[in-house]
Amino acid sequence: MIYQIYPRSFQDTNADGIGDLKGIEQRLDYLSGLGVDAIWISPIYPSPMADFGYDVADYCDVDPRFGGLANFDSLLAHAHARGLKLLLDFVPNHTSDRHPWFVESRASRDNPKRDWYIWRDPAPDGGPPNNWISDFGGSAWQWDEATGQYYYHAFLKEQPDLNWRNPAVQTAMYDVMRFWFDRGVDGLRIDVLWHLVKAADFPDNPPNPAYQPAMGDMHRVLQLHSTDQPEVHEIASDMRGVADRYGASGQGERVLIGEIYLPVDRLLHYYGRERAEVHLPLNFQLIDAPWQARSLATLIADYEAALPPGAWPNWVLGNHDRPRVAAKRGQAQARIAAMLLLTLRGTPTLYYGDELGLSDVAIPPAQIQDPRELREPGLALGRDPVRTPMPWDGSENAGFTTTRPWLPLHADWPVRNVARMAQEPHSILTLYRRLLAARRAHPALAIGDFALLDAAGDVLAYARRHGAERLIVALNLGEHSQRLELPDWAGDCRVLLSTVADAALIEDGAVLLQANEGLILIAD
Ligand code: NOJ
């Protein structure tokens, strides 16, 4: 189980209102107590923070706001001492415009680093070379007066895209991977992996027939030519080659996780075909899925069926870019979502604070930080609401910082915080701990076969089997109690865990689910 930390918001130790590596180190006991296996930390590299660290100015150092390499080494050693793996965010698609590579690249047309980025002449009318749109709105091309060309940026103009068709870029970035792997980092989450290679001739993207202004400017066109090009798979398998050498040489396996937003068939291609690519192309389907038993069942079954042989599944409920699960599904169903996430086959990823049922926080206009919101205001595309500080206890600023936090805390932090919820037998935090413990005690929940039992009305029920172990997960997605007929093989099963009260009634081969109740049953 992977736990994602947004480092600005986890724990501040130097009173600047921003979290840091020392803070993460101080909270490692919490993470191992919760039962996570690995932590993934969003970018910590030196950065002007135009996109809060996803604009990297030096891939081989730590931003002073977060600490330094010595803090990093200490965090890694302490994580490893507790048996926790540590994964970093790797941002290979683009650098900061302040990265020395780009400073050189823009210095002149004949600079040796010119071709490390994507430079193009203007269209005949002097405008941008094509119609590609930045994910943050507006043309993806930025005019450079000094050298008379445009450069391409899939995100902010402060995030120029690297030219991955240039072998020198590939070599430099594989060196970056080795820099962190040699330090002992256990794996990398690769930012926007499907963006790395663009169509060689830069044709216009086709218009999106489903575009509505509320979707945001980027959706005016389909990213047909600007993303997911066939050549990206060679790069992904070369990256895998870099990682695999660590396992092969006995230094410990290194995992690669790809951030990829694509339909399932194209997503699964990133496991690799002839050559292995990433271990886990992130599967974000649960974030947007209609919350109905039938649709969830279909989605799970289709994904399972489409997995290539040997591919290990994974599931995600939230991250630093998307609405929080509690905001989307409500508090009662956030508990069901937790049970779903932790009883599906594969590796689950948990976003910090979701274990507390944190919801999206309304950010007063004057405190908005996210460039996405600032560039396209009012469309609910901003990500500040899901990046607010972790509430640790009832002390000032929830124990996150001793000064004003960089983003406001959620209003109910005096009751919704770790110290308090850890004491409450029925809090969502306690539920997460129990689910993680159950998953550890019953391997069927993590690695067992998955078989759908029921997906009628509001009930989603499935069996998980491994060896002699047989469990049933039954989730009531609705507000009314439901009776679920159990399969004959369930025999005398008993309740292992409930999201509500652990007192479910099992009678005459059926179980009664309360409103919003999720159950794990175990067949003896
Ligand atoms: C995806 C990251 O998750 C997001 O936060 C970031 O803004 C973009 N990539 C650009 O790096």
Side-chain angles (χ1 to χ4, degrees):
M1 200 280 249
I2 300 170
Y3 184 95
Q4 181 190 352
I5 291 178
Y6 196 69
R8 289 182 76 86
S9 297
F10 204 59
Q11 176 67 66
D12 178 20
T13 61
N14 65 345
D16 62 358
I18 294 172
D20 44 54
L21 295 182
K22 220 169 155 187
I24 298 176
E25 187 177 314
Q26 287 180 6
R27 296 298 183 180
L28 287 175
D29 283 341
Y30 166 73
L31 296 171
S32 40
L34 184 59
V36 314
D37 301 302
I39 53 179
W40 147 36
I41 310 178
S42 284
I44 53 168
Y45 314 104
S47 166
M49 301 288 167
D51 188 20
F52 294 107
Y54 285 94
D55 47 326
V56 177
D58 179 352
Y59 287 102
C60 299
D61 205 347
V62 171
D63 192 282
R65 296 172 186 86
F66 296 128
L69 280 171
N71 298 106
F72 177 78
D73 290 339
S74 171
L75 169 62
L76 184 64
H78 282 89
H80 284 171
R82 285 168 177 78
L84 290 168
K85 305 275 188 203
L86 199 154
L87 317 177
L88 284 185
D89 214 308
F90 179 47
V91 191
N93 180 68
H94 43 269
T95 68
S96 160
D97 61 346
R98 314 264 187 89
H99 194 294
W101 297 342
F102 188 71
V103 173
E104 281 192 55
S105 186
R106 82 185 314 174
S108 69
R109 286 201 189 197
D110 56 6
N111 187 281
K113 293 239 166 28
R114 185 68 168 181
D115 191 44
W116 281 43
Y117 292 83
I118 299 170
W119 292 96
R120 284 287 171 283
D121 289 334
D125 67 358
N130 66 23
N131 71 348
W132 294 4
I133 299 172
S134 153
D135 278 21
F136 293 153
S139 171
W141 296 94
Q142 177 65 25
W143 176 246
D144 182 58
E145 190 63 43
T147 59
Q149 282 191 311
Y150 283 91
Y151 67 85
Y152 176 69
H153 56 91
F155 297 91
L156 297 173
K157 68 176 177 8
E158 292 83 2
Q159 295 168 290
D161 277 45
L162 282 161
N163 175 16
W164 271 86
R165 292 183 183 272
N166 182 336
V169 168
Q170 298 174 15
T171 307
M173 294 306 273
Y174 301 153
D175 285 346
V176 170
M177 294 174 72
R178 284 187 280 264
F179 175 85
W180 292 105
F181 287 156
D182 288 345
R183 267 195 129 76
V185 165
D186 299 289
L188 298 170
R189 173 268 191 189
I190 307 170
D191 191 64
V192 295
L193 176 58
W194 85 113
H195 270 259
L196 293 198
V197 183
K198 337 309 175 191
D201 49 350
F202 293 87
D204 274 356
N205 275 326
N208 175 4
Y211 168 70
Q212 304 280 331
M215 294 172 167
D217 198 39
M218 67 174 279
H219 293 290
R220 279 197 286 132
V221 295
L222 300 170
Q223 297 187 331
L224 185 70
H225 303 299
S226 47
T227 64
D228 197 33
Q229 298 301 297
E231 298 91 333
V232 73
H233 295 287
E234 274 165 56
I235 308 268
S237 46
D238 288 347
M239 288 179 169
R240 176 63 175 265
V242 173
D244 277 353
R245 270 191 284 281
Y246 289 80
S249 63
Q251 296 173 74
E253 285 185 296
R254 305 290 195 257
V255 70
L256 295 183
I257 303 173
E259 186 209 20
I260 302 153
Y261 285 91
L262 284 176
V264 170
D265 55 329
R266 283 155 67 201
L267 173 73
L268 298 190
H269 190 167
Y270 287 77
Y271 278 107
R273 290 189 179 162
E274 287 80 33
R275 292 168 69 201
E277 299 179 26
V278 295
H279 299 85
L280 301 173
L282 285 173
N283 169 18
F284 297 116
Q285 293 181 87
L286 292 180
I287 298 181
D288 290 322
W291 208 242
Q292 290 154 1
R294 177 49 59 197
S295 345
L296 288 171
T298 307
L299 173 167
I300 296 163
D302 290 354
Y303 175 72
E304 281 274 356
L307 284 169
W312 180 242
N314 76 88
W315 298 95
V316 181
L317 277 183
N319 61 35
H320 62 295
D321 294 327
R322 305 302 315 279
R324 282 195 182 265
V325 55
K328 242 189 128 147
R329 316 295 187 192
Q331 287 299 337
Q333 285 296 315
R335 300 168 71 95
I336 299 289
M339 186 170 272
L340 176 67
L341 176 74
L342 294 175
T343 58
L344 287 175
R345 201 174 75 92
T347 295
T349 298
L350 173 62
Y351 183 50
Y352 87 96
D354 279 353
E355 75 274 30
L356 305 173
L358 282 200
S359 198
D360 293 1
V361 178
I363 309 293
Q367 283 173 265
I368 292 171
Q369 309 270 344
D370 183 15
R372 187 150 197 218
E373 178 66 28
L374 293 169
R375 288 179 55 84
E376 292 189 87
L379 298 181
L381 297 174
R383 301 164 298 176
D384 293 330
V386 307
R387 297 176 174 180
T388 58
M390 181 76 172
W392 292 103
D393 54 40
S395 67
E396 204 186 347
N397 300 311
F400 165 70
T401 183
T402 52
T403 184
R404 184 182 152 94
W406 78 287
L407 280 176
L409 283 150
H410 54 293
D412 59 348
W413 68 265
V415 290
R416 194 177 293 284
N417 64 61
V418 169
R420 178 156 173 158
M421 295 171 84
Q423 305 304 321
E424 295 168 352
H426 298 295
S427 68
I428 186 168
L429 175 59
T430 302
L431 174 66
Y432 262 100
R433 274 215 187 100
R434 293 183 64 206
L435 281 165
L436 281 159
R439 200 177 152 88
R440 223 171 265 277
H442 301 282
L445 290 175
I447 65 175
D449 295 340
F450 172 93
L452 184 68
L453 295 177
D454 200 355
D458 280 337
V459 176
L460 173 64
Y462 45 90
R464 304 297 316 279
R465 296 181 186 217
H466 181 67
E469 198 174 55
R470 294 179 304 177
L471 295 107
I472 292 174
V473 180
L475 307 174
N476 184 354
L477 308 183
E479 299 283 337
H480 304 286
S481 57
Q482 301 281 348
R483 188 184 148 87
L484 173 72
E485 298 292 334
L486 295 170
D488 291 342
W489 59 258
D492 287 332
C493 61
R494 65 188 163 86
V495 175
L496 186 68
L497 219 163
S498 160
T499 58
V500 179
D502 292 355
L505 198 62
I506 305 176
E507 243 179 33
D508 303 331
V511 63
L512 197 68
L513 287 164
Q514 297 177 44
N516 299 304
E517 182 172 28
L519 284 176
I520 305 177
L521 307 174
I522 184 159
D524 289 315

